[in-house]
Amino acid sequence: MLLTGCSTPSARPVSSGPSVSAPAPSLPRATATDTGWIQLLIPMDDQAEELLALTADRGSSPAVATWATGLAKAHRSELATLRPLLHRMGLPDTNVHQGHDMPGMVTESDLARGGRLTGAAFDRFVLRELRDHLDHSRRVSRSAARSAGSGEVRRLAAGIADTRADQLKSLPGR
């Protein structure tokens, strides 16, 4: 299985959204696979969104910019589904993978490098990083679709795996 569980004592919040006073209904049959998948996918999407935000100012290809804008919108929509699910699972909205250099995770050093590049060099860099992000998040989602305990998580993970496959197919310069 591709999912791994890890945490650090310095996990930082990944959202500064409003506090919820009433408890949400819990997710029945959530397992370690469900938890591992959602705790990995949220920071993967958050970090990718930070890189995607750079494309408007740093790249030179209109095709890359348009594709990145669509991908950022899709990630925001995905996160709007994942965060409430995380809450229903009774998990804190923290990045338990903060500082981890993992396949498919855009790291702080990746963001710094992207911030130094411009033009075609930036376009090549961002496409390579996002291809890796999409491929690995597709793989972990496919694994969760097969192994999650919750039917809701299995369906969501399968949908995200399919979406990632389509996003990879639409990658400019593929």
Side-chain angles (χ1 to χ4, degrees):
M1 179 185 317
L2 295 171
L3 297 177
T4 60
C6 54
S7 65
T8 61
S10 62
R12 71 175 166 116
V14 292
S15 171
S16 58
S19 298
V20 177
S21 57
S26 65
L27 185 67
R29 302 190 53 175
T31 65
T33 297
D34 302 48
T35 299
W37 173 73
I38 199 164
Q39 286 183 322
L40 178 60
L41 202 61
I42 288 173
M44 286 181 81
D45 280 6
D46 278 338
Q47 292 292 106
E49 266 199 287
E50 288 188 44
L51 184 59
L52 288 163
L54 298 175
T55 60
D57 298 329
R58 309 214 61 82
S60 62
S61 167
V64 171
T66 299
W67 179 81
T69 298
L71 185 61
K73 182 179 178 183
H75 275 43
R76 284 190 299 275
S77 175
E78 205 170 271
L79 287 165
T81 300
L82 292 170
R83 284 208 166 90
L85 179 59
L86 181 81
H87 178 71
R88 287 182 40 228
M89 293 170 79
L91 300 170
D93 198 4
T94 57
N95 182 351
V96 299
H97 297 285
Q98 180 66 30
H100 299 177
D101 185 3
M102 302 164 47
M105 181 76 74
V106 175
T107 65
E108 294 298 325
S109 65
D110 295 332
L111 292 170
R113 181 169 180 215
R116 292 188 301 269
L117 296 172
T118 59
F122 175 83
D123 291 336
R124 286 188 301 274
F125 172 77
V126 77
L127 289 174
R128 184 178 61 248
E129 292 300 314
L130 292 171
R131 180 180 299 114
D132 188 46
H133 160 72
L134 293 170
D135 182 53
H136 282 85
S137 58
R138 177 186 54 84
R139 290 178 191 203
V140 298
S141 293
R142 186 177 290 154
S143 177
R146 289 189 304 265
S147 305
S150 161
E152 182 179 352
V153 171
R154 284 193 306 273
R155 286 185 297 280
L156 181 58
I160 289 173
D162 291 345
T163 297
R164 291 294 191 268
D166 292 340
Q167 291 164 338
L168 282 162
K169 288 177 188 171
S170 70
L171 190 79
R174 197 171 99 65

